[in-house]
Amino acid sequence: MSTTLETKAPSKSMIILAAVVANIIWGTPFKLLKLMYASMDVSREALGDRYIAQVLTIVSVRFLLAGLLTLAVAMIMRQNIVKMSKIQFRNVVIMGLVSTGFAYFFFNIGNVNISSTINSTILAQSTIFFTALLANFIYSDDKLTPMKTLGLVIGFAGLIISQLTGGTSIGDMFHFSITGEGFMLMYGLMATLGTILAKYLGSSLNVFVMTGWSLVVGAIFLFVVGTLMGGSLTSVHWTTEGILLLILLAAFAAIPFTLWNWAATWGKLSEISVFKFIMPISGSLLSVAFGESFTTSLLIGLILVCVSIIMLNLPSKKPLQAN
């Protein structure tokens, strides 16, 4: 039987803050990844059939650095990073394969195979609905209510509106392929299962230790798969700019994963999952900071997402507590 590490649940405001910060940071890598790939000359035009394999091998380095960084923080906090029961070790391996390995395998392949940026962004947020739906069946105190359901619908509508541009065909949003839209939906499911595993394991294992090792496990999986597909780290153009961006991206994986896993440990999954709406909004605002236009659709979408978050986090009669 697992032993809970905390004797007192944190306040709901702290859980919300962790979820918000995690998703703000999660929204930033989209632009930074493009800059890193451009610096390293990683493109479909340059690599052809080896493009996806090379992306997976580079992504594996990012998550390996993120895992090692998280474990280093755990050691600074005087946590024993190798002391785990057999059950905890097994669960960490499963969590790493699901939340990092499988999830980002499907995400990276799906993303490069979807022509519409709108479609890719929307489908990536399917994790919100998978989480709310599964939590409804798994946790007795995390049921879907009419208010929560309406909040999810409003948030999803805000997400769609925020990504609309005048030059994008509506027809692109309804195109479907297994390795494109299908893989992005699989990413949403894997990310959801990873969050559920984090909630289960986080009550008995330090969140930094849990997150660090799961990132390392996922990184090893991505590296092996990428290598078997033809990727090679030796053929990458390791520029100074690319390396610096890779280190920054590693930090931007370690921090939100740790915050999110901590929030998942203590929070109701249907309530914290709505904060994933912030991720694409954050990414869009970063693009604006890099010179892109702040559109009316982005403003409307941002307002609707805020309304959705408020609706899903209205005070409940029962206090927020770990399951």
Side-chain angles (χ1 to χ4, degrees):
M1 182 179 294
S2 63
T3 302
T4 301
L5 293 176
E6 304 280 352
T7 57
K8 182 180 179 181
S11 66
K12 185 172 182 178
S13 60
M14 290 301 297
I15 295 172
I16 290 176
L17 179 61
V20 169
V21 173
N23 283 284
I24 288 176
I25 298 176
W26 259 329
T28 58
F30 292 98
K31 186 71 174 181
L32 298 180
L33 280 168
K34 290 183 179 180
L35 294 175
M36 183 186 72
Y37 290 146
S39 174
M40 294 180 174
D41 197 24
V42 176
S43 65
R44 192 181 293 276
E45 293 73 21
L47 298 170
D49 294 338
R50 293 176 52 245
Y51 171 59
I52 293 177
Q54 202 72 327
V55 167
L56 291 177
T57 54
I58 294 176
V59 166
S60 73
V61 176
R62 176 196 176 195
F63 286 118
L64 177 62
L65 292 176
L68 295 177
L69 175 62
T70 307
L71 290 174
V73 173
M75 292 178 66
I76 293 173
M77 297 173 63
R78 297 185 178 180
Q79 294 292 326
N80 189 331
I81 65 172
V82 296
K83 184 179 180 181
M84 285 183 282
S85 67
K86 291 182 179 180
I87 294 178
Q88 288 174 332
F89 176 76
R90 180 201 65 189
N91 290 339
V92 165
V93 171
I94 294 174
M95 179 179 168
L97 289 174
V98 172
S99 66
T100 304
F102 297 159
Y104 283 90
F105 169 81
F106 287 120
F107 176 87
N108 284 284
I109 295 180
N111 191 47
V112 300
N113 286 326
I114 296 177
S115 58
S116 169
T117 302
I118 293 176
N119 205 358
S120 179
T121 304
I122 293 172
L123 288 173
Q125 307 317 308
S126 60
T127 178
I128 301 169
F129 301 95
F130 281 128
T131 301
L133 183 62
L134 291 179
N136 179 71
F137 293 104
I138 295 175
Y139 305 108
S140 60
D141 65 341
D142 204 1
K143 299 295 184 181
L144 275 175
T145 63
M147 178 67 75
K148 287 183 178 181
T149 302
L150 179 59
L152 287 172
V153 172
I154 290 175
F156 190 59
L159 178 61
I160 295 175
I161 293 173
S162 72
Q163 301 299 307
L164 290 178
T165 60
T168 302
S169 170
I170 296 298
D172 288 340
M173 298 175 64
F174 299 98
H175 175 268
F176 186 88
S177 70
I178 297 298
T179 58
E181 290 81 0
F183 271 27
M184 196 60 76
L185 287 174
M186 285 300 300
Y187 157 76
L189 179 59
M190 292 299 106
T192 296
L193 294 176
T195 299
I196 293 174
L197 286 169
K199 185 175 184 66
Y200 169 74
L201 186 58
S203 62
S204 63
L205 188 64
N206 176 268
V207 69
F208 286 95
V209 176
M210 174 184 70
T211 303
W213 281 120
S214 66
L215 287 168
V216 170
V217 169
I220 294 173
F221 172 82
L222 290 170
F223 177 77
V224 171
V225 173
T227 301
L228 292 176
M229 291 175 63
S232 173
L233 294 178
T234 58
S235 61
V236 177
H237 298 147
W238 294 101
T239 63
T240 301
E241 178 185 2
I243 293 173
L244 291 176
L245 285 170
L246 181 61
I247 294 173
L248 183 61
L249 284 164
F252 282 3
I255 296 171
F257 262 106
T258 303
L259 290 174
W260 184 255
N261 288 339
W262 180 82
T265 299
W266 291 106
K268 290 184 177 180
L269 298 188
S270 66
E271 293 181 355
I272 68 168
S273 64
V274 72
F275 292 104
K276 288 213 174 245
F277 282 129
I278 294 175
M279 183 168 62
I281 298 294
S282 171
S284 299
L285 292 177
L286 181 64
S287 297
V288 171
F290 273 84
E292 297 185 19
S293 301
F294 189 86
T295 63
T296 301
S297 60
L298 180 57
L299 176 61
I300 295 173
L302 182 60
I303 293 173
L304 290 177
V305 166
C306 290
V307 171
S308 171
I309 291 172
I310 292 173
M311 291 178 66
L312 268 81
N313 286 279
L314 291 174
S316 57
K317 295 180 179 180
K318 294 182 179 181
L320 191 68
Q321 59 185 9
N323 293 319

